[in-house]
Amino acid sequence: MFKSIKENLKKALLIYKKDLNIDEDSIQLELLFDEKGDLTTNICMQYAKLLSMSPKKIAEIILKNFTHPLVEKSELAGPGFINFFLSEKGFDDLISFQEDRPIKSKFLNIEFVSANPTGPLHLAHGRGAVVGDVLSNLYEFNGYKVNREYYVNNTGNQINEFLSSLLFSISEKYNLSLPFKQFYKGDYIKEIADSCYQEFKVLFKADLSDDQKIQIVDFAIKNLVARSLSVLKSTNINFNSIIYETEIMQKDHFSKALSILKENNLVYEGKLQQPKDYDQTKKDNNILIFRSSQFGDDEDRALTKNDGTPTYFANDIAYHLDKVHRGFDILINIWGADHLGYLTRLKSALTSVHKEIDFKVVFCQIVNLKRDNVIQKLSKREGTIFELDILINEIGVDNFRYFMCYRKNDTHMDLDIDLIKKENKENPIYYIQYASARSHSVLSKKNEIIKKSIVWSPELKILYKKIFQWNEVIQQASNRNEVHLIAHYLESLASSFHSYWSASKDRPELRFLDNDKNITSKTEFLLNRFQHTLNEGLGILGIKPKTEM
């Protein structure tokens, strides 16, 4: 319908000026959700300058020449808008429309969570986990093949500190006098340390060799990764591939990338100023440095450490090139907002090596835990983290998945536990599920399907338009990689349903079922379309719709 209305608007203007160059796709046509109309266009303002005419005058020309079989009435509004009022057949057309979503040939890799393997998943990881999984669902809904990937950074100083913390805990508990410091605290360190001791008890009878330390820390890392994956699986988040940084280092991607960067004069030998990784690093000899400042970064970045081994940045370049070698056409990463400055250097290095790479990053801001109207203070190093599985057990999977993508991903979020636990319209997902249950209740009680005219109340028209709006929301969410648009839409759709339900309490002619529990064919179709739309939206969010409450 939108396409044909735009075509007729174009025809109406061409009657006035035949040589006018009008691009139908540029004509803006939007839904209205008030008494001023059902659709609106600003075409008059778009072409005012080209026609050297006031928008109102252009509106008069269009209104004189415009007709459409699904539009009952058209009128001028405001400074030059044209509002359209749909006929009954127009509303029927709205919810009969089905968007075609063909299978796409491109293969996506969406990497998310990828938590440092030095502790259990906590509150902050939850947001990236849900956003990544929902975004994967959204791309699959649009016909793409998606690989969900979890990357484990199991090298570097953080691993050394993690190992030191484990051995410190073992030493304390078993009086071994081992020369290690404590960097990470918390009960989870004690639990994993004890598991390591029980697994490798025999090794502690003598001084630990480097290989034995690697055995211990690898065991601890795999233990934590398995725990993390189990927690995520409990929320219906599953991964197709788990990639370890050590696996990437065994491949030859970085040396090949380094050759290309050198050919393009993007690498030089030298020294950096004060190191940004950790105090113990000494920069007293030359290292390889990437000219990332040429691409807008605030300084050049090290590719090798003092001992000649690759930096985290270098391994990350290799990891993303490995994704390309594995056949992925589009790479999407879900990162915490603390990595915002990292994007420039990584993307510039990747595009310098592989110019056709399609690489995007979706950033997730921090999540604060709010209870009794007070923000909780949490720290992994201090052992005061709020573990993700505890949160999930407290609020439930549906609440967890919905609220983690309720706010725009790059804005801060206060997760209000008290609000989430409410079972009323203050809790959006409860309100959505209540709408689903109500619609199922109506259809389960129906007797006969009858042919009878329905009353086109303002509330009913809004519900029709809300259902039609779903395709627009899907398109916007996909184009922007913003999954909160789906959560907000479902809340708005449910609200429209409940508004119509409330209006029918005082107006019996609006009720879905008559006194004999009969239902009109139009109403049954409407409820089926409502459920279908709600189910698609909840399905993308990874939430199962309720049929009763």
Side-chain angles (χ1 to χ4, degrees):
M1 185 204 316
F2 271 46
K3 180 176 175 57
S4 60
I5 288 176
K6 289 181 179 183
E7 288 172 352
N8 288 13
L9 283 170
K10 177 180 178 179
K11 290 175 184 176
L13 267 181
L14 289 177
I15 290 173
Y16 170 75
K17 189 173 175 61
K18 292 182 180 179
D19 60 346
L20 190 62
N21 185 18
I22 300 175
D23 178 14
E24 286 175 25
D25 292 333
S26 70
I27 298 174
Q28 296 178 20
L29 188 62
E30 298 177 356
L31 291 167
L32 285 175
F33 292 95
D34 54 32
E35 71 285 349
K36 295 177 182 177
D38 302 312
L39 305 173
T40 188
T41 181
N42 67 347
I43 187 174
C44 305
M45 288 176 272
Q46 282 181 274
Y47 286 91
K49 186 175 181 180
L50 184 63
L51 291 170
S52 301
M53 194 181 296
S54 73
K56 288 188 176 182
K57 182 64 177 175
I58 296 172
E60 289 175 9
I61 294 168
I62 292 174
L63 289 171
K64 181 180 178 182
N65 298 314
F66 175 83
T67 60
H68 193 282
L70 301 180
V71 174
E72 195 171 77
K73 183 175 68 170
S74 309
E75 62 184 28
L76 172 66
F81 292 96
I82 296 177
N83 292 352
F84 306 98
F85 295 80
L86 297 178
S87 64
E88 183 172 343
K89 286 185 178 180
F91 281 101
D92 290 340
D93 186 80
L94 278 183
I95 63 169
S96 298
F97 176 76
Q98 289 278 10
E99 186 73 27
D100 183 30
R101 295 186 176 89
I103 300 296
K104 310 292 194 303
S105 60
K106 292 192 174 180
F107 192 11
L108 273 77
N109 181 296
I110 301 186
E111 181 215 325
F112 57 105
V113 185
S114 299
N116 286 335
T118 55
L121 296 179
H122 53 78
L123 184 63
H125 297 126
R127 190 175 196 181
V130 174
V131 168
D133 192 53
V134 173
L135 195 61
S136 299
N137 291 340
L138 177 59
Y139 274 97
E140 286 175 335
F141 181 79
N142 281 321
Y144 289 91
K145 185 180 179 183
V146 177
N147 181 75
R148 292 165 170 81
E149 187 153 295
Y150 189 112
Y151 183 55
V152 183
N153 298 116
N154 61 329
T155 68
N157 189 53
Q158 62 174 2
I159 303 302
N160 296 332
E161 292 183 349
F162 178 50
L163 173 62
S164 181
S165 301
L166 293 173
L167 295 176
F168 175 89
S169 180
I170 290 171
S171 181
E172 270 205 331
K173 182 171 181 178
Y174 298 101
N175 299 313
L176 299 180
S177 300
L178 299 176
F180 295 97
K181 295 181 180 179
Q182 182 182 39
F183 294 93
Y184 293 95
K185 302 175 183 178
D187 290 339
Y188 80 92
I189 287 289
K190 295 176 182 177
E191 292 171 12
I192 296 171
D194 199 46
S195 295
C196 289
Y197 181 76
Q198 298 304 324
E199 181 72 17
F200 301 101
K201 190 182 296 185
V202 66
L203 300 182
F204 289 95
K205 292 179 179 179
D207 290 341
L208 293 169
S209 68
D210 288 344
D211 285 345
Q212 288 170 338
K213 290 176 186 176
I214 291 172
Q215 275 185 275
I216 292 168
V217 78
D218 281 352
F219 174 82
I221 288 170
K222 287 178 181 176
N223 183 301
L224 273 172
V225 170
R227 283 173 57 177
S228 296
L229 295 174
S230 177
V231 170
L232 294 169
K233 188 174 182 179
S234 73
T235 68
N236 303 316
I237 296 175
N238 297 286
F239 291 88
N240 305 105
S241 53
I242 314 297
I243 306 294
Y244 283 80
E245 187 176 3
T246 46
E247 294 174 5
I248 298 299
M249 293 175 71
Q250 292 169 5
K251 299 181 179 181
D252 199 29
H253 297 312
F254 177 63
S255 62
K256 292 177 182 176
L258 189 59
S259 298
I260 296 172
L261 292 173
K262 284 181 176 179
E263 287 173 11
N264 292 321
N265 195 30
L266 293 173
V267 174
Y268 64 95
E269 287 191 12
K271 296 183 178 69
L272 290 176
Q273 298 301 313
Q274 281 297 107
K276 290 196 170 187
D277 43 10
Y278 56 100
D279 295 337
Q280 292 84 353
T281 302
K282 295 179 181 179
K283 304 289 186 184
D284 55 0
N285 66 317
N286 283 349
I287 57 174
L288 293 178
I289 303 170
F290 174 61
R291 299 182 189 275
S292 55
S293 59
Q294 289 188 9
F295 301 91
D297 199 359
D298 53 2
E299 63 178 287
D300 293 342
R301 304 291 173 171
L303 290 170
T304 58
K305 300 176 187 176
N306 224 38
D307 60 2
T309 59
T311 59
Y312 170 85
F313 174 44
N315 285 338
D316 224 17
I317 295 171
Y319 168 49
H320 286 82
L321 292 175
D322 182 68
K323 293 179 183 180
V324 175
H325 283 282
R326 282 185 280 141
F328 299 110
D329 304 294
I330 301 171
L331 312 181
I332 299 177
N333 288 3
I334 313 298
W335 286 354
D338 56 334
H339 285 69
L340 188 62
Y342 186 64
L343 176 60
T344 299
R345 76 193 75 155
L346 180 59
K347 191 165 188 175
S348 58
L350 293 177
T351 53
S352 297
V353 175
H354 196 288
K355 296 188 185 302
E356 303 303 317
I357 197 167
D358 189 346
F359 174 58
K360 304 178 181 72
V361 174
V362 174
F363 289 98
C364 290
Q365 271 289 358
I366 61 171
V367 181
N368 296 314
L369 185 68
K370 189 176 181 182
R371 195 188 297 274
D372 299 325
N373 214 31
V374 176
I375 300 295
Q376 311 291 301
K377 291 185 178 179
L378 308 170
S379 167
K380 182 164 77 171
R381 282 185 178 264
E382 294 302 316
T384 58
I385 61 173
F386 192 81
E387 293 189 25
L388 194 58
D389 59 341
I390 297 173
L391 173 69
I392 294 162
N393 289 333
E394 182 174 359
I395 66 174
V397 172
D398 284 4
N399 281 328
F400 168 69
R401 291 191 66 106
Y402 184 83
F403 279 96
M404 281 299 181
C405 58
Y406 184 64
R407 300 292 179 197
K408 193 170 184 289
N409 50 273
D410 59 359
T411 60
H412 285 78
M413 180 171 69
D414 293 339
L415 196 66
D416 191 334
I417 298 296
D418 302 313
L419 182 146
I420 290 172
K421 288 182 175 180
K422 289 182 178 180
E423 294 189 347
N424 57 33
K425 66 180 181 181
E426 290 183 55
N427 180 342
I429 185 58
Y430 178 86
Y431 206 44
I432 292 166
Q433 293 285 30
Y434 191 31
S436 176
R438 272 182 161 176
S439 66
H440 278 88
S441 174
V442 172
L443 291 176
S444 69
K445 293 175 183 176
K446 77 176 188 292
N447 187 7
E448 298 288 336
I449 300 172
I450 58 175
K451 287 188 177 181
K452 184 181 176 182
S453 61
I454 60 175
V455 177
W456 289 95
S457 67
E459 295 85 1
L460 182 61
K461 290 180 178 181
I462 287 175
L463 181 55
Y464 267 75
K465 287 182 281 187
K466 270 293 167 189
I467 292 171
F468 175 77
Q469 194 182 28
W470 172 233
N471 290 313
E472 178 188 333
V473 171
I474 281 292
Q475 186 175 14
Q476 289 179 352
S478 303
N479 291 343
R480 303 176 191 174
N481 286 331
E482 293 180 353
V483 297
H484 74 283
L485 295 173
I486 296 170
H488 288 183
Y489 167 79
L490 292 176
E491 182 183 14
S492 180
L493 176 63
S495 179
S496 299
F497 179 88
H498 289 304
S499 293
Y500 182 75
W501 185 285
S502 297
S504 69
K505 288 181 179 179
D506 299 323
R507 298 182 61 189
E509 69 275 15
L510 299 183
R511 292 174 187 168
F512 292 121
L513 300 176
D514 64 18
N515 292 334
D516 298 318
K517 298 192 182 304
N518 294 328
I519 190 170
T520 68
S521 55
K522 277 184 186 292
T523 302
E524 185 195 38
F525 185 73
L526 168 67
L527 288 173
N528 284 326
R529 289 294 298 148
F530 170 76
Q531 287 180 1
H532 179 77
T533 304
L534 203 66
N535 292 354
E536 284 189 336
L538 287 172
I540 291 172
L541 297 187
I543 297 171
K544 186 177 180 179
K546 294 186 183 298
T547 57
E548 58 182 24
M549 288 177 73

